[in-house]
Amino acid sequence: MPDEVVNGELPSLSGIGAKADLQVELTTPIVWSDLHRGHEPGGEIWVGIRTPGTELPERAERIRGELTAAGCRIVAAERHPDELLRAVHDEELLEYLASAWHDWREAGLDRDPGQDRVVPYLFPHPGMLPSDPGPLPIPAAITARAGRFAYDTMTLIGPGTWEAARAAVDVALSAAGLVLDGERSAYACCRPPGHHATPSAFGGSCYLNNTAAAAALLRDRGDGPVAVIDIDAHHGNGTQSIFYDDPAVLTGSVHVDPGAGWFPHFLGFEGETGGDRAIGTNRNLPLEPGTGDGPWLEAITGLAGWAAGQRAGALVVALGVDAAEADPESPLRVTLAGYREAGRILGELGLPTVIVQEGGYDLEAIGGLVRATLAGLEEGLADAG
Ligand SMILES: [Zn+2]
């Protein structure tokens, strides 16, 4: 994670084309839930230090404000059955997340030792376990239980976390539903983000995988394979993991190279191409820190061409806008115009498209970046006819 938070004006993001972008009227429906506001992560524990964190409620509010100004229609998320969560997550993870905060408070841990969020302390590391451990027990101690499901210390659980995470999935599923009902595209304005959440574990500020839930719904009710293209600055390890053995979902991710020292560090390399039953259905395109529009857009063009070549019938875009140059959480240097062009490239596929919000932490820029991407997407879809 970076050491500094960059605030203030973004001169390089307001260059050529940027002002025009901000005048564009949009028609993409935005799916929304107020429940996101209940999730106040309360910071992150990073290298043992509690830092303020950047995955804040204000993120979604800024995006909504910008898109409302652009003319987008707000659609309230509808509650979906738990079965659609179980399509992408283990039952044990869902049960844990649903009760984690309640159990922590019941155990009095918020008073003694005085920890106001659920924080793991012990993890079942493979090196600690027998080579074939079988099903892992769920620890009796509430303090030990968190590490059974969390893979980092940065993703804290508080009073409204479950309701917000559950609602974020409903936002993504509702957006997928709009597309299944005939909208050409729909945008899921959700938080907490989801693409780092795996079938059985959570981390990276993500609890439930919103993008994956939308993709699974399109897979089960749509035509042909679904392509997930993740343009967040970080590798979508959770989404990759959920669909790694699924030949009906193509997963592509362009992100800063984990080998250059970036989250999620252990995954996101080019050699990860799919499990035995789905070889070739996963593509990772890691980029060097400092990469700007040119190579980033080339990578997205490559992923789009791949999805088209595989005859994808629908597209889910995991839209992280943290690849933008002033974002505090990544070293990529994509411009506002770059995001608009990315939207256009993806729109030109002409597929029913669900856009799901992932990262993006520069509060001044986040709304404009999403607006620019959706503007590009609408242009691309129009061009595709
Ligand atoms: Zn990210």
Side-chain angles (χ1 to χ4, degrees):
M1 303 298 282
D3 294 321
E4 59 175 11
V5 174
V6 180
N7 288 315
E9 296 302 309
L10 304 167
S12 49
L13 286 179
S14 57
I16 298 166
K19 287 194 170 61
D21 285 336
L22 296 176
Q23 303 305 317
V24 171
E25 292 284 312
L26 300 174
T27 57
T28 307
I30 315 171
V31 187
W32 175 263
S33 167
D34 287 340
L35 289 172
H36 87 85
R37 293 171 185 152
H39 175 53
E40 293 269 6
E44 305 174 341
I45 311 290
W46 182 64
V47 299
I49 306 292
R50 192 155 183 165
T51 64
T54 51
E55 204 292 283
L56 305 171
E58 183 76 11
R59 298 176 56 246
E61 303 295 333
R62 293 281 185 119
I63 297 169
R64 178 186 158 134
E66 184 78 32
L67 296 184
T68 304
C72 288
R73 158 170 70 98
I74 306 276
V75 179
E78 284 180 15
R79 179 83 175 182
H80 286 72
D82 289 346
E83 170 201 334
L84 298 182
L85 289 174
R86 289 194 286 267
V88 294
H89 290 297
D90 294 351
E91 180 71 38
E92 284 181 335
L93 174 65
L94 299 173
E95 283 178 10
Y96 171 72
L97 288 173
S99 65
W101 170 249
H102 174 265
D103 293 347
W104 187 265
R105 201 184 45 194
E106 284 285 296
L109 295 164
D110 57 331
R111 299 181 295 282
D112 178 13
Q115 179 53 271
D116 68 355
R117 293 292 185 276
V118 177
V119 180
Y121 91 96
L122 172 75
F123 302 91
H125 189 285
M128 175 196 189
L129 302 171
S131 56
D132 184 11
L136 278 179
I138 294 175
I142 299 300
T143 48
R145 202 170 289 172
R148 167 72 166 72
F149 298 99
Y151 63 73
D152 66 31
T153 60
M154 304 187 304
T155 311
L156 309 186
I157 295 173
T161 299
W162 167 251
E163 290 74 14
R166 182 69 176 74
V169 176
D170 283 324
V171 170
L173 288 169
S174 298
L178 288 174
V179 164
L180 286 167
D181 287 344
E183 293 280 354
R184 292 200 80 185
S185 63
Y187 167 66
C189 190
C190 50
R191 69 166 286 278
H195 72 151
H196 296 307
T198 77
S200 58
F202 69 99
S205 299
C206 302
Y207 304 86
L208 299 173
N209 197 315
N210 314 314
T211 289
L217 188 67
L218 294 172
R219 174 197 63 196
D220 295 343
R221 304 206 187 149
D223 299 321
V226 176
V228 178
I229 297 184
D230 188 323
I231 65 171
D232 186 279
H234 305 98
H235 175 235
N237 62 295
T239 315
Q240 167 175 304
S241 172
I242 287 168
F243 297 119
Y244 207 59
D245 263 309
D246 185 344
V249 180
L250 308 162
T251 45
S253 181
V254 53
H255 46 264
V256 62
D257 185 1
W262 291 85
F263 189 92
H265 301 284
F266 298 100
L267 288 157
F269 300 100
E270 256 173 317
E272 297 154 20
T273 59
D276 289 344
R277 288 183 296 147
I279 293 169
T281 63
N282 189 77
R283 282 191 75 181
N284 287 326
L285 300 178
L287 300 173
E288 285 304 303
T291 297
D293 287 357
W296 186 72
L297 290 168
E298 238 172 73
I300 291 170
T301 302
L303 292 176
W306 173 60
Q310 300 292 314
R311 301 191 177 283
L315 173 66
V316 180
V317 180
L319 176 58
V321 294
D322 47 2
E325 51 191 347
D327 195 278
E329 298 287 2
S330 103
L332 298 180
R333 302 191 57 79
V334 177
T335 67
L336 189 67
Y339 267 98
R340 184 170 185 159
E341 181 63 12
R344 197 185 58 74
I345 292 164
L346 295 168
E348 280 180 348
L349 286 170
L351 295 171
T353 302
V354 180
I355 308 98
V356 181
Q357 188 61 43
E358 297 287 357
Y361 305 95
D362 182 332
L363 293 175
E364 297 305 318
I366 188 169
L369 288 162
V370 173
R371 184 172 179 171
T373 310
L374 294 183
L377 187 92
E378 289 188 10
E379 288 162 7
L381 283 168
D383 288 349

